[in-house]
């Protein structure tokens, strides 16, 4: 070992941690992960039995992202950025940490399988080889949104890319997430043990057995990951102590009478509630679990945007192939099932929008990225659109060839795609195969939709705001949806966006029993397990410090 280089590495690791003012828990997680660099750099042999994974948990605003930023900087300062890849399970989470989606890095196809990389696409093969060849460390954020099947696929793909039979291809992997937040979509939560249910006297179908085995593999992988666990308990988003303690009680289903009364006073119309006539509330974003309300709010806010600013609105109809029904029948029933490719897309010049596809995650343009619409370029053959191009509301005949957007938080890496406007990014129409809703009684099982991948950003769903802190006023809709469920996790995710109590308003009165939903007992038991793993990890780490 080169002692001078080791000392220099120690100094950079330590000073970077100090720079980010990491608390004891954050510092422990940071050092456990980055200290493996010493083994990679100075050890000729690394034991196969070594646990190379770490899980870091904690509630909303507990400083999980701060650890990621410190890790990224230390790899940069050490001149080894190629050894680290930063990712997340969702596009918006990846954009917030300036990383990639794990699906993109692992080349997962639409149906969850690994895309064929042994075909004729030489560029794809080279691309994968380039970024995995040097990589030794991987961060996966928002792992709670990935389930057992996803984790198994990640490990399988990394084994293949790295040519290594160890879990996750032998990489050092830092998983970060909060299991109090939203569950994975169409997958089994990592902390729920799969069970093989068999009806008496009936054989188990092979498909069911295979499904069970895959889920079990992912579950066991995760159990090994959490052998090293650090749980964060700080609160860095909500500086108001009442807000942080209130959110903790919401997550645990332990709201007091005083908590419920305080929240009720934030309803518009309450004598002590917020003033709905204030301009700040007029411009506030709405967060709701109800898709129909989100769409209606966006449409009305778009018209108000024209009235307030004088900027144009462009209305882009989708291009649908392989389905025969009236467009008016599709607006409310289909839009929630079309990968967020709208039947009618409303594009407000200088208005907020959300990108609904991973257009360029490396540039921060991902599924869920907040942008401002800057310019709409109609299709050259769209006579209807060009004939109305000077109107306040321009109804297009087909999707535009391009919509230029600017990231709400800016990005200096975006080139000058539009003359004289550096930072404007071109969103192009995308084409998706959509499952035909059964209510249309169509012979075709699927149809193809082409549309600009965006939606107005005056309102967001609960899934869209997970991982974000909203440092401005926002409005929540806590009315229980007519269909589906509203779990404590949904409520907690929406409420935990707030930084200050005064920034929150409730749209309308809600049911009194909304907070009487039973707490997920499986998570309560799992939280105890994680705390025990955290204690064991702390004792192990402190023993290492003593022996140094």
């Amino acid at each position: 070992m080169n002692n001078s280089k080791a000392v220099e590495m120690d100094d950079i690791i330590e000073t970077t941690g100090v720079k980010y003012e990491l608390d004891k828990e954050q510092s422990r997680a940071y050092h456990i992960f980055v200290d493996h660099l010493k083994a990679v750099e100075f050890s000729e042999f690394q034991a196969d039995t070594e646990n190379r994974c770490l899980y870091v948990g904690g509630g909303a605003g507990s400083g999980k992202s701060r650890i990621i930023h410190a890790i990224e900087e230390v790899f940069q300062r050490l001149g080894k950025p190629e050894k680290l890849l930063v990712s997340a399970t969702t596009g918006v989470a990846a954009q917030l940490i300036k990383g990639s989606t794990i699906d993109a890095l692992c080349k997962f196809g639409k149906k969850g399988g690994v895309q064929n990389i042994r075909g004729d696409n030489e560029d794809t093969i080279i691309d994968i080889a380039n970024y995995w060849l040097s990589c030794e460390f991987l961060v996966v954020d928002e792992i709670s949104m990935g389930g057992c099947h996803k984790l198994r696929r990640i490990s399988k793909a990394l084994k293949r890319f790295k040519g290594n039979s160890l879990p996750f291809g032998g990489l050092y992997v830092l998983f970060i997430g909060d299991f109090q937040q939203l569950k994975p979509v169409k997958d089994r939560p990592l902390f729920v043990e799969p069970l093989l249910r068999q009806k008496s006297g009936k054989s188990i179908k092979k498909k069911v057995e295979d499904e069970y085995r895959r889920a079990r593999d992912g579950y066991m992988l995760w159990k090994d990951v959490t052998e090293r666990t650090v749980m964060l308990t700080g609160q860095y988003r909500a500086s108001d102590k009442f807000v942080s303690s209130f959110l903790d009680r919401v997550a645990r289903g332990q709201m007091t009478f005083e908590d419920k009364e305080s929240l009720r006073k934030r309803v518009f119309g309450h004598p002590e509630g917020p003033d709905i006539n204030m301009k700040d509330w007029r411009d506030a974003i709405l967060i709701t679990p109800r898709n129909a309300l989100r769409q209606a709010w966006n449409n009305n806010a778009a018209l108000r945007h024209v009235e307030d600013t004088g900027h144009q609105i462009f209305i882009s109809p989708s291009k649908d192939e392989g389905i025969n029904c009236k467009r008016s029948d599709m607006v409310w029933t289909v839009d929630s099932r079309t990968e967020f490719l709208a039947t009618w897309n409303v594009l407000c010049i200088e208005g907020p929008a959300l990108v609904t596809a991973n257009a360029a995650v490396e540039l921060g343009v991902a599924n869920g990225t907040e942008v401002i619409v800057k310019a709409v370029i109609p299709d050259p053959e769209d006579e209807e659109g060009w004939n109305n191009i000077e109107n306040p509301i321009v109804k297009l005949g087909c999707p535009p060839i391009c919509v230029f957007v600017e990231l709400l938080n800016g990005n200096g890496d975006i080139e000058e795609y539009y003359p004289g406007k550096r930072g404007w990014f071109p969103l192009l129409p995308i084409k998706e195969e959509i499952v035909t809703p059964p209510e249309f009684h169509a012979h075709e099982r699927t149809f193809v939709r082409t549309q600009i991948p965006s939606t107005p950003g005056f309102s967001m769903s609960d899934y869209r705001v997970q991982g974000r802190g909203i440092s401005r006023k926002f409005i929540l809709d806590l009315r229980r949806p007519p269909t589906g469920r509203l779990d404590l996790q949904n409520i907690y995710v929406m409420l935990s966006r707030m930084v200050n109590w005064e920034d929150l308003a409730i749209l309308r009165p809600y049911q009194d029993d909304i907070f009487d939903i039973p707490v997920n007992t499986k998570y309560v038991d799992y939280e105890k397990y994680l705390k025990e793993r955290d204690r064991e990890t702390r004792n192990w780490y402190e023993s290492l410090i003593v022996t140094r």
Side-chain angles (χ1 to χ4, degrees):
M1 177 187 295
N2 187 317
N3 287 331
S4 63
K5 287 187 176 180
V7 170
E8 181 184 2
M9 179 178 285
D10 276 333
D11 182 62
I12 291 174
I13 289 173
E14 187 64 34
T15 56
T16 303
V18 171
K19 174 184 174 181
Y20 280 85
E21 299 180 334
L22 303 179
D23 64 25
K24 286 185 178 180
E25 294 156 348
Q26 293 169 325
S27 181
R28 187 186 315 135
Y30 165 78
H31 278 286
I32 289 174
F33 187 66
V34 300
D35 281 357
H36 287 302
L37 263 169
K38 300 172 191 175
V40 172
E41 288 298 301
F42 303 116
S43 299
E44 295 181 1
F45 175 77
Q46 299 169 51
D48 288 352
T49 57
E50 179 186 7
N51 183 1
R52 300 188 180 185
C53 296
L54 171 68
Y55 167 63
V56 174
S62 59
K64 298 185 289 293
S65 295
R66 186 178 299 188
I67 299 172
I68 297 176
H69 297 319
I71 290 169
E72 288 180 299
E73 179 159 330
V74 84
F75 275 79
Q76 288 287 345
R77 290 184 62 188
L78 289 169
K80 304 180 185 300
E82 74 284 352
K83 290 188 177 293
L84 174 71
L85 285 174
V86 176
S87 70
T89 56
T90 66
V92 64
Q95 181 258 328
L96 289 170
I97 59 174
K98 295 181 170 56
S100 302
T101 63
I102 191 62
D103 287 43
L105 290 179
C106 291
K107 299 299 175 185
F108 288 157
K110 275 289 181 183
K111 295 183 179 179
V114 178
Q115 295 175 347
N116 180 13
I117 64 169
R118 296 186 179 181
D120 298 328
N121 192 340
E122 188 174 336
D123 290 341
T124 301
I125 297 172
I126 293 172
D127 181 42
I128 292 173
N130 281 344
Y131 64 72
W132 285 118
L133 184 63
S134 303
C135 178
E136 299 285 349
F137 295 80
L138 174 66
V139 174
V140 183
D141 195 14
E142 292 290 354
I143 190 59
S144 61
M145 290 289 285
C148 293
H149 292 287
K150 173 64 73 65
L151 193 70
R152 173 186 172 275
R153 292 199 301 270
I154 292 170
S155 184
K156 183 178 179 181
L158 296 181
K159 287 180 182 180
R160 181 180 178 186
F161 296 151
K162 295 295 292 182
N164 188 320
S165 61
L166 290 176
F168 307 105
L171 294 176
Y172 293 95
V173 189
L174 171 61
F175 294 97
I176 297 178
D178 176 13
F179 288 99
Q180 292 183 114
Q181 299 195 48
L182 296 172
K183 295 179 289 188
V185 179
K186 298 180 181 179
D187 203 344
R188 177 179 291 275
L190 290 165
F191 63 88
V192 177
E193 183 175 4
L195 299 175
L196 185 60
R197 292 184 173 87
Q198 180 181 8
K199 292 184 178 180
S200 178
K202 293 189 177 182
S203 61
I204 301 174
K205 292 183 179 179
K206 185 177 185 302
K207 183 177 180 181
V208 175
E209 283 185 330
D210 291 344
E211 181 80 6
Y212 165 75
R213 289 195 187 98
R214 287 192 290 268
R216 184 77 183 176
D217 287 347
Y219 174 80
M220 295 308 294
L221 273 170
W222 182 247
K223 193 169 183 180
D224 289 340
V225 166
T226 54
E227 285 299 312
R228 290 279 182 265
T229 291
V230 176
M231 299 299 291
L232 308 181
T233 59
Q235 177 51 248
Y236 298 96
R237 178 179 298 162
S239 55
D240 186 332
K241 289 185 178 180
F242 171 74
V243 171
S244 58
S245 59
F246 166 81
L247 292 175
D248 184 64
R249 290 190 291 275
V250 171
R252 299 176 186 282
Q254 298 173 350
M255 287 183 69
T256 64
F257 175 80
E258 290 76 14
D259 289 334
K260 295 177 181 179
E261 285 301 300
S262 296
L263 191 63
R264 198 172 300 283
K265 290 178 182 178
R266 301 309 299 170
V267 177
F268 284 131
H270 190 282
E272 300 179 46
D275 183 359
I276 196 172
N277 296 312
M278 283 180 57
K279 185 180 185 300
D280 286 348
W281 294 119
R282 181 180 174 88
D283 297 335
I285 189 172
L286 172 73
I287 301 173
T288 174
R290 300 163 70 109
N291 190 54
L293 175 59
R294 180 185 63 82
Q295 290 176 314
W297 184 280
N298 275 332
N299 291 338
N300 287 328
L303 295 175
R304 191 173 69 240
H305 178 76
V306 172
E307 179 183 328
D308 290 347
T309 68
H311 290 295
Q312 286 179 300
I313 287 180
F314 288 78
I315 300 177
S316 165
S318 62
K319 179 182 178 182
D320 296 330
E321 303 165 88
I323 190 169
N324 183 22
C325 66
K326 294 180 180 179
R327 186 174 296 277
S328 59
D329 294 335
M330 300 175 67
V331 174
W332 302 111
T333 59
V334 179
D335 280 6
S336 62
R337 311 174 194 180
T338 57
E339 306 273 343
F340 287 94
L341 295 183
T343 304
W344 295 99
N345 197 351
V346 179
L347 303 159
C348 302
I349 301 300
E350 295 297 332
L354 294 177
V355 179
T356 58
N358 292 325
V361 177
E362 69 281 2
L363 295 177
V365 189
N367 188 352
T369 299
E370 294 180 84
V371 297
I372 300 294
V373 177
K374 307 302 287 190
V376 177
I377 313 299
D379 189 288
E381 298 181 4
D382 181 7
E383 293 185 10
E384 181 179 0
W386 285 107
N387 288 338
N388 296 293
I389 196 67
E390 300 297 331
N391 293 345
I393 300 178
V394 181
K395 185 178 179 182
L396 302 173
C398 63
I401 60 169
C402 177
V403 174
F404 285 95
V405 299
E406 186 175 50
L407 273 64
L408 196 62
N409 296 321
N411 188 334
D413 295 331
I414 295 179
E415 300 176 1
E416 191 175 305
Y417 293 100
Y418 190 98
K421 299 294 183 181
R422 186 177 179 85
W424 287 20
F425 183 84
L427 278 184
L428 306 177
I430 64 173
K431 183 179 290 189
E432 293 285 354
E433 188 176 55
I434 306 300
V435 176
T436 305
E439 57 262 37
F440 291 131
H441 305 291
H443 295 293
E444 300 83 1
R445 296 181 62 184
T446 62
F447 69 98
V448 175
R449 168 163 289 186
T450 303
Q451 181 60 284
I452 292 291
S454 72
T455 186
F458 301 101
S459 177
M460 292 188 199
S461 68
D462 47 354
Y463 275 86
R464 291 287 180 182
V465 299
Q466 177 159 313
R468 303 177 193 266
I470 300 179
S471 56
R472 58 189 175 99
K473 294 189 181 299
F474 66 98
I475 304 168
L476 292 190
D477 176 34
L478 293 179
R479 183 80 63 88
R480 184 180 289 113
T483 59
R485 299 179 60 184
L486 187 64
D487 293 331
L488 276 178
Q489 290 161 310
N490 302 82
I491 298 170
Y492 170 70
V493 165
M494 292 189 290
L495 284 169
S496 61
R497 300 310 99 195
M498 75 172 119
V499 175
N500 299 301
W501 188 255
E502 293 74 21
D503 292 336
L504 169 70
I506 310 297
L507 179 66
R508 52 188 173 174
Y510 47 86
Q511 297 91 332
D512 290 337
D513 62 350
I514 191 173
F515 297 107
D516 297 335
I517 305 169
V519 177
N520 186 335
T521 55
K522 289 183 178 178
Y523 175 73
V524 172
D525 293 338
Y526 191 65
E527 188 178 39
K528 295 176 183 176
Y529 165 82
L530 289 177
K531 287 181 177 179
E532 180 58 32
R533 298 282 76 74
D534 175 69
R535 280 193 293 271
E536 291 184 3
T537 300
R538 182 177 66 248
N539 293 337
W540 164 80
Y541 177 71
E542 290 176 352
S543 69
L544 287 182
I545 295 175
V546 171
T547 57
R548 284 176 182 172

